[in-house]
């Protein structure tokens, strides 16, 4: 009985000592934790400040913006900038152009990335490391270096003012990054699943679509989201290749509001806000898919 009581007393003492030590550690970490939190909040405010200014000035009149500046609150909610942007740029046409170009380009990039990564990561072709390095070099090259040959090549085949030109260009450029990412993941693909598929008589195509793709589906979804947003915001190639108004996208519509000497800042901010909403909704819809894809990697 005495031994049991002594053992319990010793356990209680050890527990109290542990709680005191933990409390001391928490108390020492407390101020540092608040400093880190304040720094993160300041960085978040700094990152969100352009968005705040855009929303603030989107509902001002030109006179209000000129007299009070960009940091003042609007005297009244003015929706004329949104209406002017909608009518001046034929927004429904520009929105449809941006939407289907982004979707087609993202799908093209994901499909090509999946095929290339399957050959490099699982097929183990000769010189796969060199091929992946070439894809990485392609992602680091500036887009301005491709404009001259691409411009003459697409004009020669009659695609100088075609939206499919942007789909192909953005699809190929984004494919380089997707190939690098997926090939790195497929390089660690479980060999047991591939051997089981071979034993069951599955060929390369059947293995790709029935074994590899279901496991890589979340990663492909993440790439699709990124490629969609990148193509949606593409400006340089669309400026070079899309000449007529019926083929242009939303970034070009916003740029068309800026003249040489006159610039309606509230209308431009209103247009930027309207163009941001579809991409933001797209991100919210696929937010859960994005989270699953980033944490994917375990074999079910």
């Amino acid at each position: 009985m005495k031994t049991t009581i002594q053992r319990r007393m010793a356990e209680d003492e050890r527990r109290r000592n542990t709680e005191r030590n933990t409390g001391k550690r928490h108390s020492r970490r407390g101020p540092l934790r608040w400093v880190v939190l304040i720094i993160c909040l300041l960085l978040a405010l700094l990152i969100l400040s352009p968005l705040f200014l855009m929303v603030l000035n989107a509902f001002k009149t030109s006179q209000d913006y000129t007299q009070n500046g960009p940091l003042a609150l609007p005297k009244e909610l003015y929706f004329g900038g949104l209406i002017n942007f909608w009518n001046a740029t034929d927004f429904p046409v520009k929105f449809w152009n941006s939407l289907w170009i982004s979707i087609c380009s993202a799908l093209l990039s994901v499909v090509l990335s999946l095929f290339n990564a399957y050959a490099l990561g699982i097929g183990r072709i000769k010189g796969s490391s060199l091929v992946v390095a070439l894809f990485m070099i392609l992602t680091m090259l500036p887009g301005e270096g491709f404009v001259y040959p691409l411009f003459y090549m697409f004009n020669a085949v009659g695609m100088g003012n075609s939206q499919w030109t942007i789909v192909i260009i953005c699809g190929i450029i984004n494919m380089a990054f997707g190939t690098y990412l997926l090939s790195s993941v497929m390089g660690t693909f479980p060999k047991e699943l591939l051997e089981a598929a071979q034993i069951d008589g599955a060929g390369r195509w059947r293995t790709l679509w029935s074994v590899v793709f279901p496991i890589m589906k979340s990663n492909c979804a993440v790439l699709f989201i990124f490629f969609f947003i990148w193509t949606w915001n593409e400006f340089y190639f669309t400026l070079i290749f899309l000449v007529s108004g019926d083929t242009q996208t939303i970034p070009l519509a916003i740029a068309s509001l800026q003249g040489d000497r006159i610039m309606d800042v509230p209308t431009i901010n209103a247009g930027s806000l309207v163009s941001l909403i579809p991409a933001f909704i797209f991100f919210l819809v696929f937010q859960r898919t994005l989270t699953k894809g980033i944490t994917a990697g375990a074999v079910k």
Side-chain angles (χ1 to χ4, degrees):
M1 176 67 68
K2 186 180 297 185
T3 304
T4 303
I5 296 175
Q6 291 176 351
R7 186 166 56 251
R8 290 182 178 177
M9 293 177 60
E11 291 177 356
D12 293 338
E13 184 66 23
R14 283 196 301 269
R15 187 172 60 253
R16 286 193 293 268
N17 292 333
T18 303
E19 292 175 355
R20 284 196 296 267
N21 294 332
T22 304
K24 291 180 180 179
R25 287 198 298 269
H26 284 314
S27 63
R28 289 196 297 267
R29 293 179 183 177
L32 180 60
R33 185 177 305 175
W34 283 106
V35 171
V36 173
L37 180 60
I38 293 173
I39 293 175
C40 292
L41 289 176
L42 292 176
L43 291 176
L45 291 176
L46 182 63
I47 294 173
L48 294 176
S49 58
L51 179 62
F52 173 74
L53 289 176
M54 181 182 65
V55 176
L56 186 66
N57 295 293
F59 300 98
K60 289 182 180 179
T61 62
S62 299
Q63 183 179 3
D64 187 7
Y65 178 84
T66 304
Q67 292 179 353
N68 302 318
L71 298 179
L73 294 175
K75 294 182 179 179
E76 59 178 352
L77 289 179
Y78 176 72
F79 296 94
L82 298 173
I83 298 174
N84 293 335
F85 172 77
W86 189 282
N87 296 329
T89 60
D90 196 7
F91 181 77
V93 175
K94 303 299 189 297
F95 170 77
W96 171 248
N97 292 339
S98 294
L99 182 64
W100 83 263
I101 288 175
S102 300
I103 291 177
C104 292
S105 177
L107 286 175
L108 178 63
S109 300
V110 171
V111 172
L112 293 179
S113 300
L114 182 64
F115 288 164
N116 293 336
Y118 182 66
L120 295 172
I122 293 180
R124 300 293 184 181
I125 64 174
K126 294 183 179 180
S128 58
S129 300
L130 178 61
V131 176
V132 173
L134 292 176
F135 279 117
M136 283 301 300
I137 293 175
L138 179 61
T139 60
M140 293 184 289
L141 292 177
E144 291 80 359
F146 305 115
V147 170
Y148 186 82
L150 289 176
F151 181 80
Y152 281 94
M153 182 182 68
F154 281 107
N155 279 331
V157 298
M159 297 179 62
N161 188 34
S162 175
Q163 297 166 336
W164 287 106
T165 302
I166 306 301
V167 173
I168 295 173
I169 292 176
C170 293
I172 296 300
I173 293 177
N174 294 334
M175 174 267 298
F177 175 77
T179 299
Y180 169 75
L181 183 64
L182 292 183
S183 61
S184 301
V185 178
M186 288 190 185
T188 59
F189 201 85
K191 296 181 179 179
E192 293 79 6
L193 294 178
L194 301 176
E195 294 174 354
Q198 292 179 354
I199 294 174
D200 292 339
R204 294 182 179 179
W205 284 100
R206 183 66 181 276
T207 302
L208 173 62
W209 295 115
S210 300
V211 179
V212 177
F213 178 71
I215 297 177
M216 302 294 297
K217 185 167 56 177
S218 298
N219 302 90
C220 293
V222 172
L223 288 179
F224 177 81
I225 295 172
F226 282 129
F227 293 158
F228 177 89
I229 296 177
W230 293 350
T231 309
W232 180 274
N233 296 324
E234 177 59 40
F235 176 77
Y236 184 74
F237 287 111
T238 56
L239 178 64
I240 299 298
F241 289 97
L242 301 182
V243 180
S244 60
D246 59 337
T247 61
Q248 293 179 347
T249 57
I250 292 179
L252 292 180
I254 298 175
S256 65
L257 299 175
Q258 181 177 353
D260 294 335
R261 300 178 182 178
I262 300 175
M263 183 173 62
D264 190 354
V265 177
T267 302
I268 293 177
N269 281 276
S272 301
L273 180 62
V274 172
S275 64
L276 179 66
I277 291 176
F280 184 70
I281 294 176
F282 180 86
F283 177 80
L284 289 180
V285 171
F286 293 96
Q287 182 181 10
R288 183 173 298 180
T289 303
L290 179 64
T291 305
K292 290 182 179 179
I294 293 176
T295 57
V299 180
K300 298 179 179 180

